Amino acid sequence: MSNQAANPALLAAVIFDLDGVLTDTAEFHYLSWKSLADDLGFDWSRPANEALRGLGRMESLRVFLGDRWGLFTDEQRADLAAAKNQRYLDRVEKMTWDDLLPGAPELLMRLRAARVPTAVASSSKNARVVISRLGISNLLDVIVDGLDAPRSKPDPQTFLLAADRLRVAPRDCVVIEDAESGVQAALAAGMRVIGIGPAERVGRAHIVVSDLARLADRCVEQLLSRG
Ligand code: G6P
Ligand code: MG
C-alpha cells in the first residue's frame, strides 16, 4: 500500500462497485424479483428493475412493492425480502470467474501490477459471497458490503468506509459505478467517479464509458494520474 511513496504520480486507490460493474448480477436480481412478482400476481419488467440499481434490499422491496407496500406487515415484508434473496443466491451459487464482465479481470490485474490499492464498496449484503464465487478476493485489498455500511447508496457511507479501511483520503479515490444512486454517493463522498453505462443514468460522473472494456488505455492512464 506504499505506492504513493514509490510513485507519486499514482492515484491512491480505486473503489469498484460490484453489481453491474465487475459482474452482471443485475440480471440475477431482476429474475429473482420477477419470479417474486409472478407469485404475487403482478408484472415486473426490466425497465422497472432499473430503479433498483444500487439500492439496498429493503429499499428495493419498497420500490418493488410500490403502492402494495401498505398491504404487508413488517414480518411479511421481511419474508418477501428473504424469498427474493434465496432465489438470487441460487443463481449466485453457479457463478465463476467467467461471470466477470469484459475488461474487469484485465483492469483488476493491471491495478494489482501497478500496486494501486483496490476495494469493492457495494450496497449488497451478498457482496462477499459473489466476490468469492468470482475468485477475485486476492485482487482486492478491502471489501465493504451492505452489512458493514447499513446506510445504502446514495448515502456516501459505503465509499467513505472503504477509503477509511484503505487508509486513503476520499479525494484520492476513484470510484467506478453503474448506478445513479452510486454516482451520487461517490460524489457526496468527495471522490472522482467513472460512470459505466448510459449518460441518462450515470451522466453526473466525471467520465462516462459504456463498459469497463471501453476504459481505453489512455483513460486508465488518466485514472492513474493525479492531474
Ligand atoms: C446492489 C444492487 C442492487 C441490490 C443491492 C442489494 O447494490 O445494485 O440492485 O438491490 O445490491 O443487494 P442484496 O444482495 O443485499 O439483496
Ligand atoms: Mg451497481
Side-chain angles (χ1 to χ4, degrees):
M1 304 236 176
S2 57
N3 63 302
Q4 281 159 289
N7 183 348
L10 286 185
L11 177 81
V14 177
I15 304 178
F16 292 88
D17 172 54
L18 177 65
D19 299 296
V21 171
L22 294 175
T23 184
D24 190 17
T25 41
E27 182 64 11
F28 294 169
H29 279 294
Y30 164 68
L31 293 170
S32 309
W33 286 120
K34 168 86 174 93
S35 109
L36 192 62
D38 289 346
D39 288 356
L40 295 171
F42 65 89
D43 287 336
W44 188 247
S45 66
R46 283 191 172 80
N49 205 67
E50 282 297 303
L52 309 187
R53 233 174 239 269
L55 299 187
R57 196 176 305 162
M58 284 316 271
E59 289 88 346
S60 296
L61 182 70
R62 187 178 285 277
V63 175
F64 172 78
L65 289 177
D67 294 343
R68 298 176 187 86
W69 177 261
L71 301 177
F72 299 93
T73 63
D74 282 350
E75 198 186 341
Q76 287 170 325
R77 289 174 196 143
D79 287 348
L80 289 174
K84 180 269 171 181
N85 194 49
Q86 191 50 55
R87 292 167 206 204
Y88 177 68
L89 284 174
D90 290 345
R91 295 185 160 91
V92 165
E93 203 181 316
K94 300 185 187 80
M95 290 178 86
T96 69
W97 172 271
D98 291 339
D99 290 296
L100 284 166
L101 280 166
E106 294 81 1
L107 183 55
L108 284 168
M109 289 191 283
R110 189 166 175 182
L111 292 170
R112 230 337 159 245
R115 295 175 42 214
V116 176
T118 53
V120 157
S122 169
S123 297
S124 171
K125 295 186 168 79
N126 297 305
R128 282 185 165 76
V129 64
V130 171
I131 286 166
S132 153
R133 294 300 315 151
L134 292 169
I136 54 169
S137 305
N138 60 338
L139 296 172
L140 298 167
D141 296 296
V142 160
I143 299 169
V144 174
D145 66 12
L147 294 165
D148 299 322
R151 296 205 301 273
S152 148
K153 301 166 189 177
D155 189 288
Q157 185 186 45
T158 320
F159 291 125
L160 290 173
L161 186 55
D164 188 54
R165 288 185 179 171
L166 287 163
R167 296 174 193 233
V168 168
R171 68 173 177 280
D172 290 330
C173 296
V174 163
V175 167
I176 309 186
E177 251 298 344
D178 72 306
E180 190 178 0
S181 59
V183 171
Q184 259 177 274
L187 291 173
M191 300 176 178
R192 278 173 281 167
V193 194
I194 297 177
I196 304 284
E200 310 86 73
R201 201 171 73 208
V202 292
R204 290 182 63 210
H206 297 102
I207 299 174
V208 174
V209 287
S210 58
D211 57 67
L212 270 193
R214 298 217 175 215
L215 258 189
D217 277 1
R218 208 160 30 126
C219 191
V220 174
E221 294 309 331
Q222 213 176 324
L223 197 155
L224 293 174
S225 88
R226 281 181 177 282

